[in-house]
Amino acid sequence: MNNVLAVGPFKEEQKKRLEEAGKGCSFRFCADFNGAGVSPEEIASADVIIGNLTPSRINESPRLKLMQLTSAGADAYVKPGVLAKGTVLCNSTGAYNKTVSQHAFAVTLAMQKKLYLYRDNQNEKLWRDEGEVGSIADSTVLVMGLGEIGIAYAKMCKALGAYVIGVKRRPSACPEGIDEVYTMDALDEVLPRADIVFSILPGTGATYHIYTAERFKLMKKSAIFVNCGRGDAVDNKVLYDALNSGEIAAASIDVAEGEPLTADSPLWGLKNLFITPHVAGFFHIPDTLEIITDIACHNLKAFLSGGSYRNIVDFSTGYKA
Amino acid sequence: MNNVLAVGPFKEEQKKRLEEAGKGCSFRFCADFNGAGVSPEEIASADVIIGNLTPSRINESPRLKLMQLTSAGADAYVKPGVLAKGTVLCNSTGAYNKTVSQHAFAVTLAMQKKLYLYRDNQNEKLWRDEGEVGSIADSTVLVMGLGEIGIAYAKMCKALGAYVIGVKRRPSACPEGIDEVYTMDALDEVLPRADIVFSILPGTGATYHIYTAERFKLMKKSAIFVNCGRGDAVDNKVLYDALNSGEIAAASIDVAEGEPLTADSPLWGLKNLFITPHVAGFFHIPDTLEIITDIACHNLKAFLSGGSYRNIVDFSTGYKA
């Protein structure tokens, strides 16, 4: 019999769907996001793990055949020592499109309209006009990373009248909803054109510290930088300096290099930086866990019947293959 | 010779356009929004005033033939004692569609995503997850007031997947981008359905204190109320109680009953209220003053040549006729 270990806040109806898809398997559910309540024996005896069990606890388990992440990011699981050779790794790319793109778009508009300043003013009981604001309909938006989230975000910008430039890893035809598309080598040429730079790059070697001090200098002084991808795409010190010196007008980050940000980080106190604590994704809108359940059900069936998996991760890139 | 008094921060190019449209007239420009630098003699000798000169200074000036407001709201100018009988009053309906609808939409998304709480947390250096958030794509949005701003806002909501219900004064076919339309008498039936209640009602007798305590009780406990219309559509005390007692989840106001809000108003300190100081409109995006100039040029020409005016205000309603 196959043992399925499912960690995460699945609802009863979702658990039933998983059990139906994995008929004949023995199920162990654990509501903790990272499976803190699961024993080492339960991990070692699992044939399938659904959910983001803490990677350091997997120890290349030889019995594990399918590791179905509830996250889109897979970087912590492709590192050596986590999964044994032969374990199939699938992510939940797709499940977070709506929640992350919505958050990023809400933050983009909030930054343009200086809502973070108005909240600070409110807390000082100040009825004070903060002057000119941005207009999404008159903005050029640079979307760094044209996965499904990037494209969903781009479509929202476009729907409100923005001009959208996309940058992606591999050359391709221009996706619908994007006005111009480039590969990474053109980055320095397109950065100066953007009113908004939205980064939804995954964490890979190629994206580590990609936003250098020089690149912030290439951006408009009026530019707004929004990062909902990975924190290590920009060095915290570089981001601090770019904002503190006015190289760019403002930024919002849902991710930081080193999470959670410690209380001594100078980033907290920057007036023109708005911080959200990695909440764009997670399960904060109901849709997300529904779609994850869909993917997990499909892959459980594929595991049992020898069908083809959805969202297999390529270990060499950390992306969906 | 006709004297034209133009108050407001018109740019050089816009002044030239006005002078061209009013060829042969004598122009007096004053950059103050409300014409504070203009003398009583200049007001008394004006045949045309462009801009929102302080209403109490007009004193039914017998010479004034055309009063062209730079605002959309005209309530302060239709009151007795301001304009003499026979003065044509025109507003700038249309000029604020983009800026106000954008602000309202940005605020709506920001409220759904709890960004005001995250800003407060940031100021306390707190990396803390605030849990579930709203999804515009899964929301029912009630738009109170289907003028051009209401419709522009509705289209943005619709573009992001919301279901939109509109409420307006007069019966009409359902405008494009609205799923259902009702007149005011159906208000109490539609309030319980809304996740978002957006008010863009003008200040008239019929809209005074329209959002009563009973109506806040009719709304969902999870509802978000956004007011960018007129402050006196809701009594400050009623709004305070609805938010403080949790009748609704949160609200954002760009307008208040009695502006500016004084420092002793209890509204400032409500955690679930986000206040912006009547900044949705004004001239905060460049488009606005451009469109106002278009309208003023048209009406100057109409005044001189006897053509028909744009945006004439009906004194009995305070609306564009």
Side-chain angles (χ1 to χ4, degrees):
Chain A
M1 184 157 63
N2 288 298
N3 294 320
V4 178
L5 173 60
V7 305
F10 292 102
K11 293 182 187 132
E12 288 310 313
E13 183 272 334
Q14 293 162 338
K15 288 181 188 173
K16 277 192 191 124
R17 285 172 57 205
L18 288 169
E19 287 173 330
E20 184 64 31
K23 223 169 194 164
C25 299
S26 166
F27 275 80
R28 159 82 165 102
F29 288 102
C30 173
D32 301 330
F33 173 70
N34 60 359
V38 171
S39 72
E41 293 70 31
E42 288 171 317
I43 297 170
S45 64
D47 299 276
V48 175
I49 297 177
I50 298 169
N52 283 32
L53 187 93
T54 306
S56 62
R57 300 188 67 202
I58 302 175
N59 291 317
E60 302 188 329
S61 167
R63 181 157 174 172
L64 185 62
K65 282 144 203 130
L66 171 61
M67 177 79 205
Q68 171 64 58
L69 301 179
T70 50
S71 65
D75 25 323
Y77 295 85
V78 299
K79 289 181 181 159
V82 178
L83 297 180
K85 218 170 175 167
T87 301
V88 173
L89 176 63
C90 295
N91 67 12
S92 284
T93 289
Y96 296 89
N97 297 352
K98 190 194 267 190
T99 188
V100 178
S101 60
Q102 279 184 355
H103 176 95
F105 190 64
V107 159
T108 298
L109 299 188
M111 297 304 292
Q112 283 200 313
K113 298 304 182 189
K114 298 182 174 170
L115 301 188
Y116 56 109
L117 293 182
Y118 286 115
R119 183 60 172 184
D120 290 349
N121 290 349
Q122 176 182 353
N123 286 329
E124 295 179 40
K125 304 185 178 189
L126 269 184
W127 184 274
R128 184 173 71 198
D129 192 319
E130 292 288 346
E132 283 192 15
V133 297
S135 161
I136 188 70
D138 302 292
S139 296
T140 295
V141 179
L142 178 61
V143 179
M144 295 289 295
L146 286 187
E148 292 177 325
I149 296 171
I151 288 179
Y153 172 91
K155 282 184 180 164
M156 295 187 204
C157 294
K158 196 85 197 136
L160 264 74
Y163 188 85
V164 181
I165 302 172
V167 167
K168 59 199 294 287
R169 276 178 305 152
R170 285 183 290 239
S172 77
C174 205
E176 198 200 318
I178 314 277
D179 294 295
E180 300 176 29
V181 67
Y182 298 93
T183 48
M184 285 291 180
D185 49 295
L187 179 54
D188 292 351
E189 288 153 55
V190 292
L191 277 175
R193 297 173 58 193
D195 299 298
I196 306 287
V197 177
F198 170 53
S199 185
I200 186 67
L201 295 169
T204 68
T207 63
Y208 180 78
H209 286 188
I210 191 171
Y211 302 103
T212 58
E214 292 68 35
R215 287 190 164 131
F216 280 109
K217 282 196 180 71
L218 285 175
M219 296 182 199
K220 291 185 184 179
K221 294 256 184 259
S222 59
I224 294 169
F225 176 71
V226 176
N227 189 7
C228 293
R230 280 291 179 271
D232 64 9
V234 52
D235 182 300
N236 286 346
K237 178 77 170 69
V238 167
L239 179 62
Y240 180 89
D241 289 343
L243 288 164
N244 192 47
S245 66
E247 290 294 352
I248 62 171
S252 178
I253 55 172
D254 189 53
V255 291
E257 185 165 43
E259 293 179 12
L261 268 187
T262 52
D264 62 350
S265 170
L267 290 176
W268 291 111
L270 278 172
K271 192 84 178 161
N272 57 347
L273 175 66
F274 174 50
I275 299 173
T276 56
H278 211 137
V279 290
F282 212 63
F283 309 133
H284 288 335
I285 67 172
D287 252 31
T288 307
L289 210 51
E290 273 296 295
I291 302 172
I292 289 169
T293 305
D294 292 344
I295 297 168
C297 285
H298 175 99
N299 285 344
L300 257 179
K301 285 184 198 161
F303 166 67
L304 294 171
S305 68
S308 63
Y309 291 105
R310 270 173 71 180
N311 288 1
I312 289 193
V313 173
D314 178 340
F315 277 74
S316 66
T317 63
Y319 288 93
K320 179 176 157 183
Chain B
M1 183 157 61
N2 288 299
N3 294 320
V4 178
L5 173 58
V7 305
F10 292 102
K11 292 181 189 135
E12 287 311 312
E13 182 273 336
Q14 292 163 338
K15 289 181 188 173
K16 277 191 191 125
R17 285 172 57 204
L18 288 168
E19 287 174 330
E20 184 63 31
K23 220 167 197 167
C25 299
S26 166
F27 275 79
R28 159 82 166 100
F29 288 102
C30 173
D32 300 330
F33 173 71
N34 59 358
V38 171
S39 73
E41 293 71 30
E42 288 173 317
I43 297 169
S45 65
D47 300 276
V48 175
I49 297 177
I50 298 169
N52 284 32
L53 187 92
T54 305
S56 62
R57 301 188 66 203
I58 301 174
N59 291 318
E60 300 187 331
S61 167
R63 181 157 174 172
L64 185 62
K65 284 146 202 123
L66 170 62
M67 178 78 204
Q68 171 64 59
L69 302 179
T70 49
S71 63
D75 28 322
Y77 296 85
V78 298
K79 290 181 179 158
V82 178
L83 297 180
K85 221 170 174 165
T87 300
V88 173
L89 176 62
C90 297
N91 67 12
S92 283
T93 288
Y96 296 89
N97 297 353
K98 190 195 267 190
T99 188
V100 178
S101 60
Q102 278 185 355
H103 175 94
F105 190 64
V107 160
T108 299
L109 299 188
M111 297 304 291
Q112 282 200 314
K113 299 303 183 189
K114 299 182 173 169
L115 301 188
Y116 57 108
L117 293 183
Y118 286 115
R119 183 60 171 184
D120 290 349
N121 290 349
Q122 176 181 354
N123 286 329
E124 294 179 39
K125 305 186 177 187
L126 269 185
W127 184 273
R128 184 173 69 198
D129 191 319
E130 292 287 348
E132 283 191 16
V133 297
S135 160
I136 188 70
D138 302 292
S139 295
T140 295
V141 179
L142 178 62
V143 180
M144 294 290 296
L146 286 187
E148 291 176 325
I149 296 172
I151 288 180
Y153 171 90
K155 281 184 180 164
M156 294 186 206
C157 294
K158 195 87 196 133
L160 265 73
Y163 188 86
V164 181
I165 302 173
V167 167
K168 60 198 294 285
R169 276 177 306 152
R170 285 183 291 241
S172 78
C174 204
E176 197 201 318
I178 314 278
D179 294 295
E180 299 175 30
V181 67
Y182 298 93
T183 49
M184 285 292 180
D185 49 297
L187 178 54
D188 292 350
E189 288 153 55
V190 291
L191 278 175
R193 296 174 57 194
D195 300 298
I196 307 287
V197 177
F198 170 53
S199 184
I200 186 68
L201 296 170
T204 69
T207 63
Y208 180 78
H209 285 189
I210 191 170
Y211 302 104
T212 57
E214 292 67 34
R215 286 190 164 130
F216 280 109
K217 281 194 181 71
L218 285 175
M219 297 182 199
K220 290 184 184 180
K221 294 257 183 256
S222 58
I224 294 169
F225 176 71
V226 176
N227 189 6
C228 293
R230 280 290 179 273
D232 65 9
V234 53
D235 182 300
N236 286 346
K237 178 76 171 67
V238 167
L239 180 62
Y240 180 89
D241 289 342
L243 288 164
N244 191 48
S245 66
E247 290 293 353
I248 61 170
S252 179
I253 56 172
D254 189 53
V255 292
E257 184 164 43
E259 295 179 11
L261 267 188
T262 51
D264 62 352
S265 169
L267 290 176
W268 290 112
L270 278 172
K271 191 83 179 162
N272 56 347
L273 174 67
F274 174 49
I275 300 172
T276 57
H278 211 137
V279 291
F282 214 63
F283 309 133
H284 288 334
I285 68 171
D287 251 32
T288 307
L289 211 51
E290 274 297 295
I291 301 172
I292 290 169
T293 306
D294 291 345
I295 297 168
C297 285
H298 175 98
N299 285 343
L300 258 178
K301 285 183 197 161
F303 167 68
L304 294 171
S305 67
S308 63
Y309 292 105
R310 271 173 69 179
N311 289 2
I312 289 192
V313 174
D314 178 340
F315 277 74
S316 66
T317 62
Y319 288 92
K320 179 175 159 184

mmCIF file of all heavy atoms in Angstrom, chain A residues 169-189:
data_model
loop_
_atom_site.group_PDB
_atom_site.id
_atom_site.type_symbol
_atom_site.label_atom_id
_atom_site.label_comp_id
_atom_site.label_asym_id
_atom_site.label_seq_id
_atom_site.Cartn_x
_atom_site.Cartn_y
_atom_site.Cartn_z
ATOM 1 N N ARG A 169 13.250 34.763 -19.938
ATOM 2 C CA ARG A 169 14.506 34.034 -20.159
ATOM 3 C C ARG A 169 14.739 33.698 -21.628
ATOM 4 O O ARG A 169 15.768 33.966 -22.197
ATOM 5 C CB ARG A 169 14.491 32.711 -19.375
ATOM 6 C CG ARG A 169 14.901 32.816 -17.938
ATOM 7 C CD ARG A 169 14.789 31.449 -17.302
ATOM 8 N NE ARG A 169 13.436 30.912 -17.492
ATOM 9 C CZ ARG A 169 13.126 29.626 -17.547
ATOM 10 N NH1 ARG A 169 14.065 28.712 -17.431
ATOM 11 N NH2 ARG A 169 11.883 29.226 -17.709
ATOM 12 N N ARG A 170 13.716 33.079 -22.193
ATOM 13 C CA ARG A 170 13.901 32.531 -23.535
ATOM 14 C C ARG A 170 13.161 33.352 -24.574
ATOM 15 O O ARG A 170 12.055 33.834 -24.305
ATOM 16 C CB ARG A 170 13.389 31.083 -23.566
ATOM 17 C CG ARG A 170 14.339 30.124 -22.871
ATOM 18 C CD ARG A 170 13.826 28.709 -22.992
ATOM 19 N NE ARG A 170 12.625 28.515 -22.196
ATOM 20 C CZ ARG A 170 12.524 27.607 -21.210
ATOM 21 N NH1 ARG A 170 13.524 26.817 -20.932
ATOM 22 N NH2 ARG A 170 11.407 27.488 -20.539
ATOM 23 N N PRO A 171 13.737 33.498 -25.765
ATOM 24 C CA PRO A 171 13.037 34.244 -26.809
ATOM 25 C C PRO A 171 11.701 33.578 -27.137
ATOM 26 O O PRO A 171 11.598 32.355 -27.104
ATOM 27 C CB PRO A 171 13.975 34.170 -28.015
ATOM 28 C CG PRO A 171 15.148 33.367 -27.631
ATOM 29 C CD PRO A 171 14.996 32.895 -26.215
ATOM 30 N N SER A 172 10.707 34.369 -27.435
ATOM 31 C CA SER A 172 9.408 33.814 -27.833
ATOM 32 C C SER A 172 8.631 34.899 -28.541
ATOM 33 O O SER A 172 9.012 36.069 -28.530
ATOM 34 C CB SER A 172 8.611 33.352 -26.606
ATOM 35 O OG SER A 172 8.059 34.467 -25.935
ATOM 36 N N ALA A 173 7.536 34.489 -29.134
ATOM 37 C CA ALA A 173 6.621 35.472 -29.703
ATOM 38 C C ALA A 173 6.046 36.287 -28.550
ATOM 39 O O ALA A 173 6.075 35.865 -27.403
ATOM 40 C CB ALA A 173 5.508 34.758 -30.461
ATOM 41 N N CYS A 174 5.544 37.463 -28.861
ATOM 42 C CA CYS A 174 5.009 38.354 -27.834
ATOM 43 C C CYS A 174 3.696 37.780 -27.302
ATOM 44 O O CYS A 174 2.738 37.623 -28.054
ATOM 45 C CB CYS A 174 4.792 39.734 -28.438
ATOM 46 S SG CYS A 174 4.826 41.029 -27.219
ATOM 47 N N PRO A 175 3.641 37.433 -26.007
ATOM 48 C CA PRO A 175 2.380 36.890 -25.481
ATOM 49 C C PRO A 175 1.268 37.929 -25.569
ATOM 50 O O PRO A 175 1.536 39.132 -25.556
ATOM 51 C CB PRO A 175 2.705 36.578 -24.015
ATOM 52 C CG PRO A 175 4.193 36.641 -23.892
ATOM 53 C CD PRO A 175 4.657 37.573 -24.966
ATOM 54 N N GLU A 176 0.043 37.464 -25.633
ATOM 55 C CA GLU A 176 -1.123 38.333 -25.668
ATOM 56 C C GLU A 176 -1.114 39.234 -24.431
ATOM 57 O O GLU A 176 -0.810 38.784 -23.325
ATOM 58 C CB GLU A 176 -2.383 37.455 -25.660
ATOM 59 C CG GLU A 176 -3.632 38.177 -26.121
ATOM 60 C CD GLU A 176 -4.887 37.465 -25.635
ATOM 61 O OE1 GLU A 176 -4.925 36.237 -25.687
ATOM 62 O OE2 GLU A 176 -5.809 38.181 -25.169
ATOM 63 N N GLY A 177 -1.399 40.474 -24.638
ATOM 64 C CA GLY A 177 -1.450 41.402 -23.508
ATOM 65 C C GLY A 177 -0.128 42.083 -23.215
ATOM 66 O O GLY A 177 -0.038 42.899 -22.311
ATOM 67 N N ILE A 178 0.911 41.732 -23.952
ATOM 68 C CA ILE A 178 2.222 42.361 -23.777
ATOM 69 C C ILE A 178 2.515 43.128 -25.069
ATOM 70 O O ILE A 178 2.278 42.633 -26.157
ATOM 71 C CB ILE A 178 3.323 41.295 -23.563
ATOM 72 C CG1 ILE A 178 2.899 40.245 -22.542
ATOM 73 C CG2 ILE A 178 4.661 41.938 -23.226
ATOM 74 C CD1 ILE A 178 3.084 40.596 -21.107
ATOM 75 N N ASP A 179 3.007 44.362 -24.939
ATOM 76 C CA ASP A 179 3.262 45.169 -26.126
ATOM 77 C C ASP A 179 4.610 44.870 -26.774
ATOM 78 O O ASP A 179 4.739 44.922 -27.993
ATOM 79 C CB ASP A 179 3.159 46.659 -25.776
ATOM 80 C CG ASP A 179 1.743 47.049 -25.374
ATOM 81 O OD1 ASP A 179 0.860 46.959 -26.249
ATOM 82 O OD2 ASP A 179 1.510 47.400 -24.217
ATOM 83 N N GLU A 180 5.622 44.622 -25.948
ATOM 84 C CA GLU A 180 6.954 44.294 -26.466
ATOM 85 C C GLU A 180 7.554 43.240 -25.556
ATOM 86 O O GLU A 180 7.380 43.303 -24.343
ATOM 87 C CB GLU A 180 7.885 45.522 -26.430
ATOM 88 C CG GLU A 180 7.420 46.716 -27.230
ATOM 89 C CD GLU A 180 8.368 47.924 -27.040
ATOM 90 O OE1 GLU A 180 9.578 47.731 -26.796
ATOM 91 O OE2 GLU A 180 7.868 49.060 -27.111
ATOM 92 N N VAL A 181 8.306 42.313 -26.139
ATOM 93 C CA VAL A 181 8.943 41.302 -25.295
ATOM 94 C C VAL A 181 10.430 41.195 -25.633
ATOM 95 O O VAL A 181 10.826 41.325 -26.796
ATOM 96 C CB VAL A 181 8.212 39.934 -25.416
ATOM 97 C CG1 VAL A 181 8.380 39.324 -26.795
ATOM 98 C CG2 VAL A 181 8.685 38.976 -24.341
ATOM 99 N N TYR A 182 11.245 41.046 -24.598
ATOM 100 C CA TYR A 182 12.705 40.948 -24.752
ATOM 101 C C TYR A 182 13.225 39.806 -23.896
ATOM 102 O O TYR A 182 12.547 39.344 -22.975
ATOM 103 C CB TYR A 182 13.376 42.253 -24.293
ATOM 104 C CG TYR A 182 12.967 43.447 -25.112
ATOM 105 C CD1 TYR A 182 11.902 44.257 -24.702
ATOM 106 C CD2 TYR A 182 13.620 43.758 -26.305
ATOM 107 C CE1 TYR A 182 11.506 45.342 -25.465
ATOM 108 C CE2 TYR A 182 13.229 44.844 -27.073
ATOM 109 C CZ TYR A 182 12.170 45.633 -26.643
ATOM 110 O OH TYR A 182 11.776 46.698 -27.402
ATOM 111 N N THR A 183 14.452 39.411 -24.186
ATOM 112 C CA THR A 183 15.130 38.470 -23.291
ATOM 113 C C THR A 183 16.032 39.266 -22.351
ATOM 114 O O THR A 183 16.237 40.466 -22.526
ATOM 115 C CB THR A 183 15.942 37.431 -24.083
ATOM 116 O OG1 THR A 183 16.725 38.129 -25.053
ATOM 117 C CG2 THR A 183 15.033 36.440 -24.781
ATOM 118 N N MET A 184 16.568 38.573 -21.364
ATOM 119 C CA MET A 184 17.315 39.215 -20.271
ATOM 120 C C MET A 184 18.478 40.101 -20.746
ATOM 121 O O MET A 184 18.802 41.086 -20.079
ATOM 122 C CB MET A 184 17.865 38.153 -19.312
ATOM 123 C CG MET A 184 16.808 37.560 -18.408
ATOM 124 S SD MET A 184 16.191 38.772 -17.184
ATOM 125 C CE MET A 184 14.990 37.756 -16.324
ATOM 126 N N ASP A 185 19.080 39.746 -21.854
ATOM 127 C CA ASP A 185 20.251 40.510 -22.304
ATOM 128 C C ASP A 185 19.876 41.936 -22.727
ATOM 129 O O ASP A 185 20.744 42.791 -22.845
ATOM 130 C CB ASP A 185 20.978 39.770 -23.438
ATOM 131 C CG ASP A 185 20.009 39.327 -24.524
ATOM 132 O OD1 ASP A 185 19.136 38.477 -24.217
ATOM 133 O OD2 ASP A 185 20.080 39.843 -25.646
ATOM 134 N N ALA A 186 18.590 42.189 -22.921
ATOM 135 C CA ALA A 186 18.164 43.547 -23.296
ATOM 136 C C ALA A 186 17.738 44.370 -22.079
ATOM 137 O O ALA A 186 17.291 45.514 -22.215
ATOM 138 C CB ALA A 186 17.008 43.471 -24.291
ATOM 139 N N LEU A 187 17.901 43.791 -20.889
ATOM 140 C CA LEU A 187 17.394 44.426 -19.669
ATOM 141 C C LEU A 187 17.839 45.877 -19.504
ATOM 142 O O LEU A 187 17.020 46.765 -19.237
ATOM 143 C CB LEU A 187 17.826 43.596 -18.447
ATOM 144 C CG LEU A 187 17.416 44.117 -17.069
ATOM 145 C CD1 LEU A 187 15.918 44.358 -16.990
ATOM 146 C CD2 LEU A 187 17.854 43.138 -15.979
ATOM 147 N N ASP A 188 19.140 46.108 -19.693
ATOM 148 C CA ASP A 188 19.656 47.462 -19.451
ATOM 149 C C ASP A 188 19.113 48.487 -20.444
ATOM 150 O O ASP A 188 19.123 49.690 -20.165
ATOM 151 C CB ASP A 188 21.188 47.462 -19.459
ATOM 152 C CG ASP A 188 21.744 46.699 -18.261
ATOM 153 O OD1 ASP A 188 20.947 46.339 -17.370
ATOM 154 O OD2 ASP A 188 22.955 46.450 -18.239
ATOM 155 N N GLU A 189 18.643 48.012 -21.583
ATOM 156 C CA GLU A 189 18.062 48.942 -22.563
ATOM 157 C C GLU A 189 16.614 49.289 -22.232
ATOM 158 O O GLU A 189 16.147 50.385 -22.559
ATOM 159 C CB GLU A 189 18.107 48.330 -23.972
ATOM 160 C CG GLU A 189 19.517 48.279 -24.542
ATOM 161 C CD GLU A 189 19.663 47.140 -25.542
ATOM 162 O OE1 GLU A 189 18.859 47.090 -26.500
ATOM 163 O OE2 GLU A 189 20.561 46.296 -25.333
#
